[in-house]
Amino acid sequence: MRLSDLRGRKVAVWGTGREGRAAVTAIAAHGPADLVAVDDSGSFLSLPWDGPLAEAAPLVTGEAGFDRLAAADVVVRSPGVPNTHPWLVELRWRGVPVTQGTALWMADHAARTVGVTGSKGKSTTSSMISHLLTAVDRPNVFGGNIGVPTLDLPEADLYVLELSSYQCSDLADSPRVAVVTALFPEHLDAHGGEREYYRDKLNLLAHGPETIVVNGTDARLAAELGDRPAVRAGTPDTTHVATGPDGTPWFHLVDQPLFPRAVLPLVGRHNEGNLCVAVAVLDALGVDVAARRDTLAVAVAEFQGLAHRLTEIVDPSGVTFVDDTLATSPYAAMHAIDAYDGRPLTVIVGGTDRGLDYTPLREHLAEREITVIGIPDSGPRIVAALDGLPKVRCEVVDDLVEAVRLAREITPTGGVVLLSPAAPSYGRFRNFEHRSEVFAQAVRDTAAG
């Protein structure tokens, strides 16, 4: 379904945030017979739904909103509307067509698009791809989940999009290059279960992409793909890290050394994998990676890590404080912990309790000497899951500020204090940015005594 297919039809846009606003503006330009916006969030009174938006699509709230959705020829939902929402379940049972703005956009732009998803690494990898393409004279527009909604993007010859599992779920067209960085259970409450989450995530690959590029070292992703043709980055027959000509780790394309691992400023094995995926995408797009290796090396060295992802905070004590607040699952926290292997480590965990299983984290820490500080709400439960591990010291405190204070006291010089909470921020914080702000301020305050 394309935007042009909505001409003369009754359309309801469900959601009034960034994506919903972009959808109303784009759809209104295509002349629907009737266009309405629906918000069931309970916070509609605080939204400035006025001016051209209100003129294009009157806002309907409460139970009346469902009636307008059910009467529509097409419902365009925002990604924030979960698959498990009772209204969405009922609409699908009634046979009402439901799509998203990203799906409408992809129908017209798939052949010019690199689409990146993954349970971990999609933001960093998509940013890397866009950055490296620009460096080798392949101009592109970057957007999607990380930035500008797709329906607000300008026309371009090439796009690089970060796509969430929610955005992938309604796609009926795959991008030219479909990329998956990692796969582990996430957002199960919104998708309805682990199998449903994998189905929605991998829907990115389901509609005839020209090339599939995946992290070939991810066992769960490999199991889901089976023998499906794909470029499996991180393996010897494509981009990977191996011993280079100087005896240190280098990035390679098959048997051709490209540049040393040391040029990548980001820590962690997972970021090595992200770069392997990014370079494999350039190769799939026809970039002569070997010939442009020097240019790529400079671009890699200049790449800045994204905020709130293993962001190091300068501290005079000799302890490294690290903000990894976007690590909202045990698997993401495990990657962060691995990034500081070999250094004394105190990790702060806990946040909104979604009932996740922390057994994988326990297994990961079974032989590791580490201190874990739990904060509300899920911190005590995470700490309880680690009970009995002989080398793991566990503490529970009342809040993030107290966790930083304790961590500073017990972490030796040269060690690392890592906020990698393995849980979302909402509830006790406005959002993940607020959690980062509180962490950084606590680091500053405790340094001052």
Side-chain angles (χ1 to χ4, degrees):
M1 185 183 298
R2 290 174 161 79
L3 278 167
S4 58
D5 296 328
L6 302 181
R7 187 180 308 278
R9 306 181 76 178
K10 293 189 295 182
V11 181
V13 173
W14 186 1
T16 56
R18 184 182 64 171
E19 295 276 351
R21 292 160 186 263
V24 164
T25 301
I27 293 167
H30 284 78
D34 180 68
L35 181 60
V36 65
V38 173
D39 194 321
D40 68 311
S41 67
S43 62
F44 62 90
L45 290 176
S46 65
L47 296 173
W49 194 264
D50 51 21
L53 282 171
E55 293 174 11
L59 180 62
V60 180
T61 60
E63 292 301 317
F66 176 76
D67 295 335
R68 296 304 298 266
L69 293 172
D73 297 322
V74 178
V75 170
V76 180
R77 64 166 173 149
S78 294
V81 176
N83 277 331
T84 52
H85 194 296
W87 286 8
L88 186 56
V89 173
E90 177 66 16
L91 290 171
R92 285 180 166 153
W93 182 82
R94 295 187 184 194
V96 177
V98 178
T99 188
Q100 289 187 50
T102 298
L104 293 168
W105 182 91
M106 193 71 77
D108 287 319
H109 298 87
R112 292 176 276 160
T113 300
V114 176
V116 183
T117 196
S119 305
K120 174 74 174 175
K122 61 183 178 295
S123 300
T124 297
T125 303
S126 56
S127 298
M128 280 180 172
I129 293 167
S130 178
H131 175 72
L132 296 181
L133 284 169
T134 300
V136 295
D137 308 314
R138 296 288 297 272
N140 62 91
V141 169
F142 182 45
N145 187 56
I146 195 173
V148 180
T150 52
L151 288 174
D152 280 343
L153 294 175
E155 280 300 307
D157 293 330
L158 182 62
Y159 299 90
V160 179
L161 302 184
E162 183 211 325
L163 298 171
S164 69
S165 54
Y166 311 120
Q167 291 170 309
C168 291
S169 63
D170 284 335
L171 293 178
D173 301 89
S174 290
R176 173 184 172 185
V177 181
V179 182
V180 187
T181 60
L183 195 64
F184 53 75
E186 265 277 56
H187 310 300
L188 304 188
D189 50 344
H191 290 273
E194 185 170 339
R195 294 308 316 164
E196 290 80 5
Y197 169 70
Y198 295 162
R199 175 201 66 204
D200 290 344
K201 194 71 145 173
L202 297 180
N203 189 48
L204 181 73
L205 316 179
H207 307 284
E210 182 179 301
T211 306
I212 295 172
V213 179
V214 300
N215 175 2
T217 67
D218 186 301
R220 185 176 287 102
L221 179 52
E224 292 294 324
L225 285 175
D227 59 0
R228 184 168 187 166
V231 177
R232 299 172 190 259
T235 61
D237 58 349
T238 177
T239 49
H240 64 286
V241 176
T243 302
D246 61 359
T248 67
W250 279 52
F251 288 94
H252 289 68
L253 176 60
V254 194
D255 58 354
Q256 299 180 74
L258 299 176
F259 41 79
R261 163 62 177 92
V263 305
L264 176 64
L266 306 187
V267 300
R269 187 71 57 82
H270 65 291
N271 279 317
E272 292 179 9
N274 291 338
L275 183 54
C276 285
V277 170
V279 175
V281 169
L282 265 66
D283 185 54
L285 289 171
V287 174
D288 190 337
V289 169
R292 304 300 301 272
R293 71 185 77 188
D294 292 341
T295 299
L296 289 171
V298 172
V300 168
E302 293 174 344
F303 182 77
Q304 299 296 312
L306 303 180
H308 318 298
R309 297 166 176 85
L310 295 179
T311 302
E312 297 188 356
I313 300 173
V314 176
D315 189 80
S317 67
V319 173
T320 302
F321 288 83
V322 182
D323 172 14
D324 195 42
T325 192
L326 284 175
T328 58
S329 78
Y331 299 93
M334 287 152 52
H335 282 301
I337 289 167
D338 286 349
Y340 293 95
D341 190 29
R343 297 178 65 180
L345 180 61
T346 301
V347 58
I348 300 171
V349 299
T352 305
D353 196 341
R354 296 179 293 170
L356 295 178
D357 178 12
Y358 288 98
T359 302
L361 181 61
R362 176 186 176 86
E363 294 172 347
H364 195 70
L365 299 182
E367 301 299 325
R368 189 183 296 266
E369 188 169 339
I370 189 173
T371 299
V372 178
I373 301 176
I375 61 175
D377 293 320
S378 60
R381 192 167 68 81
I382 297 173
V383 164
L386 305 178
D387 184 51
L389 293 180
K391 298 181 181 180
V392 178
R393 171 184 175 179
C394 290
E395 305 281 350
V396 175
V397 298
D398 291 336
D399 57 36
L400 179 55
V401 174
E402 181 61 28
V404 171
R405 184 175 296 110
L406 175 60
R408 184 181 286 281
E409 292 174 1
I410 64 179
T411 306
T413 299
V416 177
V417 175
L418 170 65
L419 172 63
S420 194
S425 58
Y426 48 83
R428 293 180 178 260
F429 301 94
R430 292 188 301 273
N431 46 40
F432 68 86
E433 292 96 342
H434 182 211
R435 181 161 63 183
S436 288
E437 291 167 8
V438 171
F439 178 67
Q441 186 62 52
V443 172
R444 290 190 291 268
D445 290 346
T446 55

